[in-house]
Every structure is written in structure tokens, then in C-alpha cells.
Amino acid sequence: MAQPTQIRLSPSRVNDFLNCPQLYKYRAIDQLPEAISLDAERGTLVHTVLENLFSVVAEERTLAKALEFLPVYWEKQMLMRDELRTLVPDNKEWLDRAGALLTTYFTLETPSQFEPTDRELHVEINLSDSIYLHGYIDRLDIAATGEVRVVDYKTGKSPRPGWEEKALFQLSIYALIYWRTHGTVPKLLQLIYLGDGRMLKNSPKEADLVRTETKLLTIAGEINDSIEGNDWKTKKSRLCDWCSFKTICPAFN
Ligand code: SF4
């Protein structure tokens, strides 16, 4: 019997597979190019500003400084993707919308009052023969007491009631990697939603992270089965309206 392939998984790819296996195939296996998503580009810009805000001294981490950074990092982003200049004809409106997200951030946290330990931290682990797990944590804060907080910024809105656990699954993957590599279970997982100014928090226990690990092993097994049988299920949902692959997807053809 053929050995299962070790699957390289990040929280985003796990999410893709759970949302729609066919979408996962297009992205992770076929690696098809995708049209630029302006929502994703706005998210990148806001993340870059927040990441760099912590490079300046604490007392300068103000909303005014964040808004000052916006056009600077937007210009850099456009230098890397020239098409953005034509896709975003109204620069002022674009920066105003990104600025509104940063304004919301300052209603939720006071960045001058703490020092993050890491930003955009790459974490990885060979979880098993079937999974190599990796990802980037937006921000990791370690308190003087040794307590660890894993923080992720979202530029969209918080999930509807009943969907919180699904949203927190991404952070539980980071928590699992951190626990397995450092031996400490993060005290707090925190999702910051800039779209509606809400925070989602969770304090995982070891047993929760063991459940996350079991779920990931199941997902890796399902992906291996799909690869072996070249059988990728489609899952129609509201996401299809934003899916770059709708025109070639078997569910619509
Ligand atoms: S269009 Fe919908 S069903 Fe098809 S790949 Fe995209 S998300 Fe999946």
C-alpha cells in the first residue's frame, strides 16, 4: 500500500478544505493563479500598518501615526503589484476605508501600553508523518508572568452567533503548534475584528488542543484520500460568489 503523502497545511488551507475540497484542490494542489481580491489587499495593508506601528516607540503608537503610515505602505504595496493602481481609481476613498478600520482598532486596544513579543511570527512543526503544519501569527504577546497571548487581526466582521468555534479553530492551530514546540499552552487566543469592532477570545486547555490535533489528523487523512482517488467534492455555499474558480468549477458547469 502506498505511503500517505505528508500534507503541508496552514490554517488558511485547512479552512479551504473544510469550506470546499475542490477549492482546496485548485489552490493547494493545482496552485492556480487567482484574480486580485481588493478585500485581501486592504487586509494586507492594514496588517502591515499594525505590524509596523509596533516598530516605533510606545508613546508614538497613536492613531495619527497609523494614519500617517497608511499612504506610505500603500505606495509600497502598489510598487509590488502595479495592477493595483488601475484597480483602485479613487485612492482617497480607499485610504479612508482602511483608515476607518485602523480607527476601530484604537477603540479595542491601546498599543502604547504594551510591548508585543513577536509580530508576523512564523511557526511550524512536523506534527506527524502525515502533516507538516505552519503559519504566521499576527502578534504574540508574552507577559512578565510567562502567560502567552496569540492575537490575529481580521478586517472583516465577527462571526454570527454559533460560528465562533469555527472562527477560533485557526487560532487553536497556532496554539497547538506553540504548545508542541514550546511546551506552554497559550493562555489566551484573541481574534480582533476591525469590521465591527468586536473581539473573540478563548482560553484553551490541553484537552482542547489535543482535539484540534485529532481533527487535523482526520483532515489530513481525508485530503490524502482525495489525492489518492483524485476525488474532490464540491461544496456550494455563499463563498462561491467570491470564488475565483467558479467559471471552471464542476458544481457550476
Ligand atoms: S465555486 Fe464554490 S463549489 Fe466551486 S470550488 Fe469555488 S467554493 Fe467550491
Side-chain angles (χ1 to χ4, degrees):
M1 206 172 116
Q3 278 292 101
T5 313
Q6 191 184 43
I7 309 285
R8 183 183 165 88
L9 279 180
S10 65
S12 305
R13 293 294 82 82
V14 170
N15 216 22
D16 285 346
F17 188 77
L18 293 175
N19 283 331
C20 172
Q22 183 72 43
L23 173 64
Y24 171 88
K25 175 185 183 276
Y26 287 141
R27 282 193 171 143
I29 309 284
D30 301 342
Q31 299 187 2
L32 297 182
E34 291 188 60
I36 288 180
S37 152
L38 287 183
D39 283 340
E41 292 294 331
R42 189 181 297 107
T44 301
L45 175 60
V46 170
H47 276 74
T48 307
V49 169
L50 289 176
E51 182 192 351
N52 285 283
L53 191 63
F54 287 100
S55 300
V56 300
V57 291
E59 56 270 28
E60 284 184 22
R61 292 176 203 149
T62 59
L63 175 59
K65 177 59 79 178
L67 296 179
E68 188 187 311
F69 275 175
L70 258 186
V72 177
Y73 286 104
W74 178 231
E75 191 55 42
K76 287 187 182 179
Q77 206 166 315
M78 287 193 293
L79 280 175
M80 281 155 65
R81 297 195 87 162
D82 211 32
E83 315 93 285
L84 289 174
R85 289 184 199 279
T86 40
L87 285 171
V88 179
D90 187 342
N91 226 23
K92 180 176 179 317
E93 196 244 346
W94 171 263
L95 292 175
D96 283 350
R97 285 184 66 182
L101 296 169
L102 290 169
T103 304
T104 301
Y105 170 73
F106 277 82
T107 66
L108 299 169
E109 287 197 312
T110 309
S112 57
Q113 290 183 354
F114 64 93
E115 288 299 332
T117 307
D118 284 293
R119 289 160 286 146
E120 282 295 306
L121 176 68
H122 185 242
V123 289
E124 60 184 341
I125 188 172
N126 273 312
L127 194 63
S128 73
D129 288 348
S130 62
I131 309 181
Y132 163 79
L133 204 54
H134 78 111
Y136 287 88
I137 298 177
D138 283 346
R139 205 181 78 215
L140 189 91
D141 305 329
I142 304 180
T145 54
E147 290 177 337
V148 176
R149 174 168 69 175
V150 176
V151 180
D152 198 72
Y153 310 116
K154 300 285 182 199
T155 44
K157 292 185 177 168
S158 55
R160 284 171 290 144
W163 293 85
E164 295 91 344
E165 198 180 325
K166 185 171 188 256
L168 282 161
F169 185 55
Q170 172 197 354
L171 290 199
S172 74
I173 295 174
Y174 292 139
L176 170 65
I177 300 175
Y178 193 85
W179 175 41
R180 290 289 189 221
T181 52
H182 291 77
T184 303
V185 174
K187 178 83 179 164
L188 189 65
L189 310 181
Q190 186 169 302
L191 280 166
I192 300 181
Y193 288 93
L194 304 178
D196 58 3
R198 285 191 60 216
M199 288 217 230
L200 208 54
K201 297 180 183 182
N202 176 254
S203 294
K205 304 280 175 292
E206 276 192 20
D208 299 321
L209 300 186
V210 169
R211 267 195 294 279
T212 297
E213 187 167 0
T214 305
K215 190 167 172 182
L216 287 169
L217 290 168
T218 304
I219 292 168
E222 288 172 3
I223 294 174
N224 260 313
D225 288 347
S226 292
I227 292 172
E228 218 168 282
N230 193 23
D231 176 23
W232 301 93
K233 303 263 180 297
T234 54
K235 248 196 220 176
K236 280 187 175 183
S237 72
R238 285 173 50 216
L239 281 180
C240 299
D241 290 339
W242 291 278
C243 179
S244 303
F245 311 111
K246 197 172 176 183
T247 52
I248 56 167
C249 172
F252 291 89
N253 290 282

